[in-house]
Amino acid sequence: MTVQDKGQLDAQYGVLTSIAQEAGVSLSTVSKVVHRRRDVGAKTRTRVEELLERYGYVRPWDQETTASQQIIAVFRDLSGPYTLEVVRGIVDAAGELGVNVVTGTTNRRSIAQWLEECVALGAAGLVIVISMLSEEDQRRIVEQHLPVVLVDPLSAPSADIPSIGVTNWSGAREAVQHLLGLGHTRIGMVAGRSHSLAGSARLHGYRAALEEAGIDYDPAIVRSTDFDYDEALSASRHILRGERPPTAIFAASDAQALGVLEAARQHGLRVPDGLAVMSFDDTLVAAMASPPLSAVRQPFEELGREATRVLLAVAEGRPPASPRIELATELVLRTSTSVPPALRDAE
């Protein structure tokens, strides 16, 4: 965003704020009138329309220079393979629909500030990716009917806020079943944090597969970290130093799987001969790893398309049939998984 664009945005936000104060209504109500939403009383709508005309406010889509519709996609950060894949999915999908995407992070600007930015920018709505929404933010979204869609939220949102994710539990279960099918019975996991919906579901899928196979869960070979390379590297070292190290490790993300690969290298273990490694995500780095990672593939392009589609529908007053949408994952097998050493030696 240029300095000129920022100035125009601030001026627009200031006009809408002044109109809200003079009309004695919330900024969200003014935004609804601007977007010609139906859930505003006739008397209030007339008053706000009069003030919009008096202040000389021109709706972005009514300006002579026709601008494409915009949405805002907000991420916790823009680093890591997962984020890059989701960004690409949203941008590509939005491009197909003729919608521009403004991207940002919550590093220096809170969700509350992004909600205000969305109103000021006249954007159709906001896609929030992997973020923890406060109760206040959720209440504002629901009470003010702000168009928001969550992708992989860290905590369970209000049922009034649509969210999109993947079949984390069944995907993790399938991954561990593959390792069991190869003959592994000692399978560790570098899991996500328990407060993460996706991380928790993947851990439960891992445990379900073990339970179905009659294998006891051993916390000694399971460590929880952020979806982060450095933390996963440290956790994997800890697991591999144990008295009974696993013959396979399931990582809850590609970034964590890369940490597992490095820990194996440092311990003199060849993958997959000495340690099988399974991942979750299947971002671009999975196929580029050495060796290439077997992984549970998330449909990133479809995630982006569905998030954009649902957001535009919500902006038009058409909420999804279900508040939670889960897209199917797919198991992709490469060369990081094979039978355990004991079975190979017995052949």
Side-chain angles (χ1 to χ4, degrees), residues 38-112:
R38 298 177 181 177
D39 51 340
V40 178
K43 186 176 180 180
T44 299
R45 180 184 301 278
T46 299
R47 174 62 173 155
V48 172
E49 288 284 9
E50 290 173 350
L51 290 170
L52 288 169
E53 185 175 355
R54 186 201 305 171
Y55 277 82
Y57 181 87
V58 179
R59 291 173 171 84
W61 50 88
D62 290 338
Q63 295 174 359
E64 291 184 4
T65 55
T66 303
S68 298
Q69 192 173 21
Q70 289 182 325
I71 63 173
I72 299 176
V74 178
F75 301 80
R76 183 172 54 181
D77 56 56
L78 288 174
S79 62
Y82 170 89
T83 301
L84 296 177
E85 291 285 1
V86 176
V87 168
R88 186 173 66 169
I90 292 175
V91 170
D92 287 351
E96 293 175 4
L97 296 169
V99 177
N100 290 329
V101 181
V102 175
T103 59
T105 71
T106 55
N107 285 338
R108 296 186 178 180
R109 185 175 295 180
S110 67
I111 294 295

Side-chain angles (χ1 to χ4, degrees), residues 118-137:
C118 184
V119 173
L121 192 61
L126 195 67
V127 177
I128 302 175
V129 184
I130 312 187
S131 292
M132 181 80 74
L133 263 66
S134 67
E135 290 186 8
E136 183 178 350
D137 288 336

Side-chain angles (χ1 to χ4, degrees), residues 51 69 129 209 234 275 302 330:
L51 290 170
Q69 192 173 21
V129 184
S234 176
L275 180 72
E302 192 177 348
E330 175 189 0

Side-chain angles (χ1 to χ4, degrees), residues 215-287:
I215 298 174
D216 292 334
Y217 171 76
D218 185 355
I221 54 174
V222 177
R223 304 284 285 187
S224 294
T225 75
D226 282 341
F227 297 124
D228 176 83
Y229 170 84
D230 290 328
E231 288 192 15
L233 173 57
S234 176
S236 302
R237 287 170 177 161
H238 179 88
I239 291 172
L240 295 175
R241 282 198 302 263
E243 292 183 5
R244 293 182 58 226
T247 60
I249 293 181
F250 172 45
S253 71
D254 286 346
Q256 289 166 297
L258 294 177
V260 176
L261 290 178
E262 175 58 17
R265 187 193 68 80
Q266 293 179 9
H267 277 75
L269 295 172
R270 295 188 61 184
V271 176
D273 297 336
L275 180 72
V277 179
M278 170 69 71
S279 185
F280 198 112
D281 282 343
D282 198 35
T283 59
L284 291 175
V285 301

